[in-house]
Amino acid sequence: EVNYPVMLKAEGIDGTGTVTNLTITGGEIESDLPAPVGTHFRVHIQLSGARNPIDIAVATVRWQRDHRFGVEFVRFEGNAKAQLEEMLNQSDASPS
């Protein structure tokens, strides 16, 4: 579980939200944006500290409930996938 601000962009949709669950294959986002199943978003995840943001070029909405929806990461921008893997591995290694 995480709590990172995200910027979301789709055709005719532009807004913000919070990613509350994050894996290498997707995540759960809380937002007031309309997010019907099948919508393709560009997702910009602002990480904490001095880490560079992660840009996902295409994330597809797989489920939606109230102000939450799950996305599957389809295409990453640049080295974003490696960056996300590294960040997730560091989180797993940190003591509880």
Side-chain angles (χ1 to χ4, degrees):
E1 290 190 8
V2 296
N3 190 14
Y4 297 129
V6 293
M7 288 187 290
L8 303 161
K9 230 182 214 335
E11 196 172 316
I13 303 171
D14 203 352
T16 61
T18 304
V19 64
T20 57
N21 195 328
L22 187 61
T23 69
I24 195 64
T25 58
E28 182 176 338
I29 296 173
E30 190 173 314
S31 176
D32 290 333
L33 288 178
V37 170
T39 302
H40 300 293
F41 280 108
R42 177 178 201 86
V43 181
H44 177 87
I45 304 171
Q46 184 62 54
L47 302 176
S48 58
R51 294 185 186 146
N52 290 328
I54 294 175
D55 287 309
I56 292 99
V58 179
T60 303
V61 176
R62 295 299 181 201
W63 61 265
Q64 187 274 330
R65 186 171 49 252
D66 299 324
H67 295 289
R68 294 178 174 273
F69 54 93
V71 293
E72 177 186 1
F73 299 150
V74 178
R75 194 169 75 235
F76 290 86
E77 196 82 356
N79 68 342
K81 186 172 185 176
Q83 189 183 348
L84 178 58
E85 285 176 335
E86 180 183 322
M87 190 269 298
L88 290 171
N89 288 337
Q90 286 175 357
S91 296
D92 289 346
S94 62
S96 305

